[in-house]
Amino acid sequence: MTARDTGTHDSTRAVRVRAEGDVDEEALAYVRAKVDAALGRPGLPEVTGEVRVARAAAHHVERPWSAGAELRVGSARVVVHAQEASAGELADRLQDRLQDRLRGQVETAVHRGDGARRTATPPPWRGGPTDGERH
């Protein structure tokens, strides 16, 4: 199997979509559209990386279509894999998983940013006041 490089799918993002095996242009276009929809969220930092789409040559395989996405969204790494029976189902599954991962990344970033886990004053071993110094 040889991989063919179909180039970046959006001028604002450097995400490369690659095909391996017997993948037609129509299937690639649908995958590109779904990846664009998943990554088209407003406020999303720069996205770079690669999406690989493959179709197994063996006809007896239940789910011959597979995809793997390795993306860098800002400073976070997002990895998604999917396998399905058809190219359309694969593209839909890939979009859903990308959106779920991105949603999880955003929620994690929000929880890290809030002060819920921080105390009002630092402990004494971090330069805070000792028990005798509190007022």
Side-chain angles (χ1 to χ4, degrees):
M1 274 191 257
T2 60
R4 67 179 189 273
D5 185 3
T6 63
T8 58
H9 67 275
D10 187 13
S11 61
T12 60
R13 293 177 180 84
V15 176
R16 190 170 298 272
V17 178
R18 297 178 60 118
E20 296 178 7
D22 187 22
V23 179
D24 59 3
E25 290 301 320
E26 183 179 329
L28 277 177
Y30 191 62
V31 169
R32 268 191 223 102
K34 290 297 191 167
V35 170
D36 280 340
L39 300 177
R41 300 175 69 175
L44 199 63
E46 180 185 1
V47 180
T48 59
E50 182 176 84
V51 177
R52 292 172 316 282
V53 178
R55 183 174 182 187
H59 297 287
H60 65 278
V61 178
E62 270 187 55
R63 295 186 290 178
W65 289 89
S66 63
E70 293 183 27
L71 306 174
R72 175 76 56 190
V73 181
S75 63
R77 183 173 179 222
V78 177
V79 178
V80 176
H81 294 96
Q83 285 186 329
E84 289 299 330
S86 72
E89 292 172 0
L90 178 73
D92 294 339
R93 176 70 52 116
L94 189 62
Q95 179 186 13
D96 291 343
R97 289 190 176 171
L98 278 171
Q99 289 174 334
D100 288 345
R101 294 283 165 89
L102 291 173
R103 189 176 307 117
Q105 295 279 339
V106 168
E107 289 174 6
T108 300
V110 167
H111 289 294
R112 280 187 196 150
D114 70 7
R117 289 186 243 149
R118 297 185 186 139
T119 59
T121 57
W125 60 88
R126 295 216 173 147
T130 60
D131 287 336
E133 295 178 358
R134 292 189 184 184
H135 298 305

